[in-house]
Amino acid sequence: MAKKARKQGSRLGCLLGLCLILIVVIGSGLILLTQLGTVSGDEIANLEETKRINFTIDPNDNLETVAMRLENEGFIKDNGHFLEYVKNNEDNQVPRAGTYKLSAAMPLKRISSILMRPKGATRVITIPQGITLSDVADLFEKKEICSKQKFWETVRNGQFIGYSFITSPGGDDTRLEGYLFPGTYEYEDNMDPESVIELMLDNFDAHTKKIPKRTNKLDDRQTVILASMLEREARSDGEKPAIASVYINRLNKDMPLQCDATIAYAMNEKGRALNFADYQIKSPYNTYLHKGFPPSPICNPSMTSLVAASNPAKTNYYFYLFNTQTRNAHVFARTYEEHLKNRKIYGYD
């Protein structure tokens, strides 16, 4: 009798063990199926197709219609994936009417965030001519667009797809320096920092396309770097082409550019005259010690600076100094001897 009870207990134990195993297996399978069924927001339709194209949503378009059109026009791989991602990740389930610039190289989550963002309250931000990315970070925090930390994270890691002038793949703080075009922008208070920045990048793109054919024999990035130097050095728009000619002439003679503003940028110093020690600073932005252009633009230049950098004046100038008498312009020289005379005339020596 005791042996029979033990056998029944053993069988019962085996059954319970098998049940536990089945529960674990079934549970794991359900979890796996759930994970496999979750659409990744990083899904991309075509990584090579970076061109941004207008995509318009009409007021009567529903989510299913928008999803189908996105797939048909090549912006997403699968309309079902888009619908599922929106359902699981967006509070708003109604696409917003309007025209948007999209690219097939954008991740699914980026397209979703652009099209599904509900209308927010209108705000305004002004980007003055010649300010740096660091200044813009301060403005974004002041306007409560995002914290300075979030701004720098966006600069380093934002997608910014379709902007061919952004040559850095990411990870560096100077990636967008020079490309946040000065001006006043309307944005909505629920826009993410990347979307607000893209307003400025779009404006840069639109304005630079209006510049006549370049005569400076520089590439795109070098032109923006030169423009940023003019923005910080010139006292008026009228003298920018002449200052640009000085730098072009010095480049052609393999002379250091010797631009004070690049040193001030390296030191994050504004509004004070440089001293002897400043000119010895060890930095790739020290254009007294290093020939050629600095590694990046040193500010976000205006249209007049971009035009002057693209088409410098034709001169024989190699030197200039600040006119201490009028205090609103610079004095130019063709030779070092002439430059030394100007230094005496204007009280530098």
Side-chain angles (χ1 to χ4, degrees), residues 247-260:
Y247 293 127
I248 294 296
N249 291 340
R250 293 177 77 91
L251 278 173
N252 292 337
K253 289 286 187 179
D254 198 31
M255 299 168 63
L257 299 183
Q258 296 185 334
C259 173
D260 287 9

Side-chain angles (χ1 to χ4, degrees), residues 177-238:
E177 192 78 271
Y179 302 110
L180 302 191
F181 197 80
T184 297
Y185 299 88
E186 285 189 356
Y187 65 96
E188 293 178 9
D189 62 355
N190 60 352
M191 289 174 69
D192 58 70
E194 185 167 342
S195 296
V196 179
I197 288 173
E198 285 180 346
L199 296 175
M200 301 162 195
L201 297 178
D202 287 339
N203 208 13
F204 176 90
D205 190 36
H207 277 79
T208 51
K209 285 178 179 176
K210 299 176 183 176
I211 297 175
K213 186 178 179 180
R214 288 200 306 260
T215 60
N216 59 16
K217 298 182 180 178
L218 303 176
D219 63 29
D220 292 349
R221 184 161 176 80
Q222 289 172 331
T223 298
V224 178
I225 293 174
L226 177 56
S228 72
M229 292 163 60
L230 302 182
E231 189 69 43
R232 300 301 300 171
E233 286 281 310
R235 290 303 177 108
S236 68
D237 290 341

Side-chain angles (χ1 to χ4, degrees), residues 159-179:
Q159 297 285 334
F160 304 119
I161 292 167
Y163 299 104
S164 59
F165 48 84
I166 300 176
T167 56
S168 168
D172 62 282
D173 288 349
T174 61
R175 183 183 181 204
L176 302 183
E177 192 78 271
Y179 302 110

Side-chain angles (χ1 to χ4, degrees), residues 4-46:
K4 188 175 182 181
R6 279 198 294 272
K7 284 183 180 179
Q8 289 177 342
S10 178
R11 289 173 185 167
L12 183 60
C14 288
L15 286 171
L16 287 173
L18 286 171
C19 287
L20 286 172
I21 291 170
L22 284 171
I23 290 170
V24 170
V25 170
I26 292 170
S28 300
L30 288 172
I31 291 171
L32 181 60
L33 285 171
T34 301
Q35 289 175 339
L36 289 172
T38 301
V39 175
S40 170
D42 295 321
E43 182 178 286
I44 293 173
N46 187 345

